[in-house]
Amino acid sequence: MADYKYDHKVINELVEGTLEWYQIKNMMSSHKDAERFKVYREVMQERVSWDDPILLPLGLHLYIVLKENGDRIVKCDCGHEFCDYQENWKVHANIFIRDDEEKMNEIYPVLMAPDPEWQVIREYYCPSCAAQLEVEAVTPWYPVIHDFEPDIDTFYKDWVKLPLPEVKSK
Amino acid sequence: MKTIEEIQNKKVPIGWDGKTLKEMRAEIDRVSKETGYYAGLEELTFKEADPIRFEKIFSKLRGGVVHARETAKKVAASPIVEQEGELCFSLYTPEADSIVTSTGIIIHVGTMGAAIKFMIDKDYEDNPGINDGDIFCNNDNHVGNVHTCDVHTLVPIFWEGELLGWVGGVTHVIDTGASGPGSMPMGPVQRYDDGYQITCRKVGENDELSKDWLLESTRSVRGSKYWTLDEKTRVAGCHMIRDLVLDVIEEEGADNYKQFMREIIEDGRRGFVNQVKTMTIPGTYRAASFIDVPFEGLDLPKFAQQDSIIHTPSEIKIHKDAHLEIDFEGSSRWGWHPFNATPVSITSGIWVMLAQTLVPNDRINDGAYYASSFGIPLGSWFSPDDIRSAHSNTWHGLVAGWTPLWRGLSRGYWGRGFLEEINAGNAHTSNWLQGGGYDHHGELSALNSFESAACGVGASAVKDGISHSAALWNPEGDMGDMEIWEVLEPLIFMGREILPGSGGPGKYRGGNGWQSLRLGWGAKEWTMLVAGSGAMATDCGLMGGYPGAAGYRFSAYNTDLKERIEKRLPLPLGGDTDPDDPGYEKNLKAETINRDRQAVTTQEEFGDYDLMLNYLRGGPGFGDPLDRDPKEVENDLNERFILPRFAESTFGCVYEEKDGEFVVDLKATKEKRKEMRKQRLEKSVPTKEWMKEEKKRILNKDASKQVQLMFAESFALSKKFTDDFKEFWDIGEDWMVYEDDLNVTKLGRHINRFKDNQ
């Protein structure tokens, strides 16, 4: 095992949210560890039940993974597959709109909630496991926001200088 | 011996090697652009040859400017400066590039630089002249200031007849003589309402402020003693730093100091690029923010009485070479409200944010500016194409516009595994509780409660946001001491408490906001106003978390509290814990009670025993609330961080309460959450199906007027935003919403791509 600043156990605890505050504070205050992505990606791979190689963790439950045919897709940790990674996964999710006071009042007291005449709350769920993956507080009519389009190839090749993960042969 | 120029009474340029400042400014811009390195420095020869000496100079200067700030602020009497630390000092090159800055409101690294650049551009070197011992003052919004209350003192630093730099100091003054009292009043809708504006004026020579300036300035604002001591604070700090720089030059030599200035900025540029590459992922990050401008029916000119929305879409592009580009294309038009901003204020504020996340070190200088670029649409609310725009409460829009940038960068941190750096966004740092008149000491004064310097922090990916602790614009957030506020303001505290549920729910909660209940007491003549977010949440939450709660107001006029106190009856005390079940009104009668979403108001008379609530907002949450550890929800209940009914409806936690102690039933919670997930799938629809219905609403123009106006403004200013909108909804050429069709004022709506006026 290489001599990493933070090993798999520590990074797994970081993901779990079980590190003590003083440990998090030390992480925040010290120089960033160049190998973090490598360790983190391996930790995230160990945490999911499927074998598709993770190219990039995209959100709390979401990953960009590599399929056998070379496709890069957005996948939920429950196994649900959304779409090509360059598409907006939200358009392939389920949506629930809080657009009246009764629906808003499940989350906030009425006066502390947005006024539906001005703003609605959109919740995006995984169609399989129903995890709430993203929340938008936008006006009516607002296009679904495509949050992030990563340049994966530049990231691996020029930035972290790591080979792209490959599908394991069966 | 005199030179020929002196004999001929010609001015000798004060720049280096016989150049004027204007020539130096143009040369730095040209060389930096051509080479890609600040001042063309491909190699840092000084730093590489003698790194210890280089760092020693930096440390001496950095320590000196921080020390000057800490010492000078004790001169001030204003609680905004003395209690909250709303001041900052920065050291510049002759061309106005910042080389080192103090702690504090470091947004002004950029704004003071803009003021010096303005003086260079306007040939101040010729007239009024720039001489050793001069003191300049600026607070002109349209020069590039944030808002009128940020007053700059600018002092040139000379060495043997050459200008070797500038030092700038800024304080947030308590009043600017605007049409409303306080430093960030509601009421101004044009520049001419914004208060006393000084345009880069020479106010002193030979280190002495001129008498006409002292008389005019103190007669132009409320609270003149605060104004006077704020100015002494700025001058003292600037002179301390000037002395320090002269000591360094004496010790190191002028040539070395010149080389150091150039290299420290290039070093800052390289450091920024390195941080971007170390912590983020190349690609495109998109987000949007919104803030309400509920002006319909307010006591304002008719053309300003209109509900509107400040919309700020943002697209961060991180290029292959780690160049950071932020584009705000599609943003709303500037308007007749005090929430407009300048390009320098929105970009400089981004450095404040980045200093707390991407570059958390003391190398904050203009190097980062040279490593990034911004898309600032002319005619938008942060680049008005009309000098009439008002800016007194510019933060209303700015804190909303910046918060998506935290989230964008956080997506990069998530991808790379730097979970400890993730932040779901910032609170809308309001309410601004303001007032003025003859106070309880009988003096003409004003107040702006800076309790808003301690709002809720956004959640991270590994822990809850901190409650009542921070403001984006001042990394040293502090709510101040009640006892000090009560000495200085004619308002007594009836309570100061966390507002449960004001932080956005999530796997990790946003930090909660809080409330102060203030009772009018002792003022001779006084008016008050509030200014905060109301009808809209200004952020989205991150990766399944909810936004922080929206705002509201509570105030009561002509109350029966005098009688209740005399009869020792119960009083309204503490926080407004659950606004759905108002508690204050149970112990209060009043002629007027305002409890509504009108969270911005113009000034109203405020007397003894009147009440006003100051509600400081919470931060957004991170992750699905159903993923929150039930034991954490139990703790939230017992610490009163959330209202009990939301434990179940939001977090899916089943609990029992006994003698005020809450216990979450883990087994029942597991079942409840399973059921809630099932309900999510039942009540939701595929996004593509919903889009078909939403498209019908768009085609039918089924939305409130303020929502339609928001889109009409963005359409009028941006073809790209329009094209993206139409492409997403698959809407044809013939559909459009025009401002002219919405019965809104035509004043100020200049740039319009649908009209032939560009």
Side-chain angles (χ1 to χ4, degrees), chain B residues 605-618:
Chain B
E605 287 183 40
F606 193 80
D608 286 355
Y609 303 104
D610 288 347
L611 276 177
M612 193 166 278
L613 186 69
N614 194 21
Y615 159 22
L616 296 316
R617 314 295 194 249

Side-chain angles (χ1 to χ4, degrees), chain A residues 50 52-55 63-67 71-73 75:
Chain A
W50 30 261
D52 300 323
I54 293 171
L55 297 175
Y63 309 84
I64 296 171
V65 302
L66 183 67
K67 300 299 289 183
D71 287 351
R72 297 170 177 181
I73 62 159
K75 185 164 181 162

